[in-house]
Amino acid sequence: MKFTKEIKIALVSILGIVVLFFGMQFLKGLSLFGNDNSYYVAFVDATGLSQSAPVYANGYRVGVVKSLEYDYSPQGKITAVVGLDKQMRVPRGSRAELASDLLGNIKVNLVLSDDPINMLAPGDTIQGSQETGLMSKVGEIMPVLMNIAPKLDSIMTSLNTLLADPALRNTLHHVEGMTDNLNATSRELRTLSASLNREMPVMMTKANGVLDNTEKLTGNLSKVDVAALTAKVNQTLANVEQMTQKLNSTEGTLGLLMRDRQLYDNLTATTASADSLLTDMKAHPKRYVHFSVFGKKDK
């Protein structure tokens, strides 16, 4: 049987369509030969979810979203048909969460329950929800960030004004000078500390010598008979007091000499007479001294 040119073109076209179909299925993440189980996931809000979105369980990709169906009944839920690997077992009580990465791509995360016995059968419905993760929290705080944005702009304007102020540059310059002074002071303190460390043994030796001398002096003082010394001092003071009493009394020669007025006057008169006699002897020595060569008296 001969194939005409038209038949060959038709066969090549059909083959190309089949390859394109399976290629699109492969790019979408769908199984080429239907080697998966279909489950239904009900969402109240499926914003961003699309066909061929990946499905993960504990961070591992286990399936893909095959299609999305909208329930036009009053409930208004969105049902996603997901194909999971046939080896995947989904415990009852599990749920599916919509999550987004930093690039905004939406994926489905299966949060598996702890029931090891009761499993969902293919075709059962899994409850869907929105993930309360980081991106969700970022979306919640975006209105707050938008409200404080004008205040941040005002703060940045004030900071720019402050940084442009020459006084700030002068202050920083002074701070630099203070830092240099502190460094110099620190070096001097280190030098002083090193000097003290060197001189401390000598100082301690001298201090020990002083303490030894003080200890010796204290020992010598402790050997002094304080009672005998005190008795001798008291005896000396008593003798001095007794002599003072005798001088103040009229008994004895010294007392009479110190207290007799007449004796004082007589002594004064005698002194005056002796002085007059000496003066006359100097003026007329011949009256008192006689020399005679021949033995004749000179009257």
Side-chain angles (χ1 to χ4, degrees), residues 141-209:
I141 66 173
M142 281 303 295
V144 179
L145 294 177
M146 294 300 295
N147 290 331
I148 66 174
K151 297 181 180 180
L152 290 176
D153 183 66
S154 176
I155 292 173
M156 293 302 298
T157 302
S158 301
L159 286 176
N160 291 332
T161 304
L162 178 63
L163 293 175
D165 192 352
L168 180 61
R169 290 194 294 271
N170 294 334
T171 301
L172 294 177
H173 179 69
H174 293 159
V175 169
E176 183 178 1
M178 292 172 62
T179 303
D180 294 338
N181 294 334
L182 288 175
N183 291 333
T185 303
S186 178
R187 289 193 296 270
E188 292 177 357
L189 287 175
R190 287 197 295 270
T191 303
L192 178 61
S193 177
S195 177
L196 288 176
N197 290 334
R198 289 193 302 269
E199 296 179 0
M200 185 59 67
V202 179
M203 296 174 62
M204 292 300 297
T205 302
K206 293 182 179 180
N208 291 332

Side-chain angles (χ1 to χ4, degrees), residues 230-256:
T230 303
K232 290 181 181 180
V233 172
N234 291 334
Q235 183 64 35
T236 302
L237 292 176
N239 294 335
V240 172
E241 183 179 3
Q242 184 179 4
M243 183 178 67
T244 304
Q245 290 177 355
K246 288 182 178 181
L247 289 174
N248 291 331
S249 66
T250 58
E251 298 178 359
T253 305
L254 291 176
L256 291 174

